Amino acid sequence: MNKIHHIFDQIIFKGTIYIPRSYVSIAAYYIVPIVLATMYILARSGFVDDDIMEVLGNTALILVIIILFVKPLVVLFKPIGLLRTILGFRRQLGVAALYFALFHFLFYTISFDVPVWEIFWKSLTNGGALQYGAFSLLIILILGMTSNKIATRTLKRNWKRLHRLSYLLLPLILLHIAFVSGEGEEALN
């Protein structure tokens, strides 16, 4: 029991868990999109269950919550080193959230015989739950495209202003979830 307590103390409170940044970057930038793209191809062929769309959306939501709340939690709970470790991976978590949100949308489009961009445009303009989801996707796409060193250097102070859009994500996602049941197909007509 003492050894388990020691490991728990090392990981949670001292934050001595060491995950190389390159491993997390490879997972976020390459492995996650490849796995999701493979699942999408299989789903288009009928090999993946439709429930995966909800799992992808929930995963994106959880990642957004972690990204938004890890900094305040670090300030409130300084002794918890695991939070500081997670704080160092916010960019990678944001990119992973982007992929999960994007594939959540793409899995939604499978059931329609309409081009993806047309569904996205109708979702943006028709109101309701899909509009909240489409605006969330648009915001996370903008944030994802500017989550790199080149954009940070190019935009300078405006990069931080732009990334404050992330605070709109959570309310939009929660509104999307609250209104989504039973509205999907009617909103596109």
Side-chain angles (χ1 to χ4, degrees), residues 7-24:
I7 292 170
F8 182 80
D9 182 59
Q10 289 293 313
I11 293 173
I12 302 296
F13 292 108
K14 293 187 177 139
T16 55
I17 184 171
Y18 178 70
I19 303 171
R21 184 172 304 281
S22 61
Y23 291 2
V24 177

Side-chain angles (χ1 to χ4, degrees), residues 163-175:
H163 277 253
R164 286 188 182 135
L165 283 173
S166 64
Y167 296 107
L168 286 175
L169 273 178
L170 189 57
L172 286 172
I173 293 170
L174 293 176
L175 284 168

Side-chain angles (χ1 to χ4, degrees), residues 1-10:
M1 184 67 178
N2 194 19
K3 187 173 185 171
I4 293 173
H5 182 270
H6 176 70
I7 292 170
F8 182 80
D9 182 59
Q10 289 293 313

Side-chain angles (χ1 to χ4, degrees), residues 114 117-127 130 187-189:
V114 181
W117 296 111
E118 188 175 326
I119 293 172
F120 185 72
W121 179 251
K122 284 185 178 183
S123 297
L124 274 175
T125 57
N126 284 1
L130 297 181
L188 284 176
N189 296 328

Side-chain angles (χ1 to χ4, degrees), residues 66-167:
I66 290 170
I67 294 163
L68 292 177
F69 288 102
V70 72
K71 178 75 174 199
L73 289 173
V74 165
V75 171
L76 289 173
F77 303 106
K78 288 179 185 173
I80 301 179
L82 181 61
L83 293 173
R84 287 189 309 273
T85 302
I86 294 170
L87 184 65
F89 296 120
R90 278 190 304 180
R91 181 178 292 180
Q92 291 87 347
L93 292 174
V95 171
L98 162 65
Y99 286 128
F100 281 104
L102 181 61
F103 279 95
H104 169 72
F105 172 71
L106 289 175
F107 273 83
Y108 171 75
T109 65
I110 288 175
S111 59
F112 300 100
D113 194 24
V114 181
V116 171
W117 296 111
E118 188 175 326
I119 293 172
F120 185 72
W121 179 251
K122 284 185 178 183
S123 297
L124 274 175
T125 57
N126 284 1
L130 297 181
Q131 188 173 39
Y132 295 123
F135 275 116
S136 300
L137 182 60
L138 187 63
I139 289 171
I140 205 166
L141 279 169
I142 292 168
L143 297 177
M145 289 188 304
T146 58
S147 288
N148 56 62
K149 290 180 183 177
I150 295 169
T152 306
R153 276 188 250 126
T154 305
L155 295 172
K156 297 179 184 162
R157 281 184 286 159
N158 292 325
W159 183 87
K160 190 166 190 162
R161 290 181 187 143
L162 179 66
H163 277 253
R164 286 188 182 135
L165 283 173
S166 64
Y167 296 107

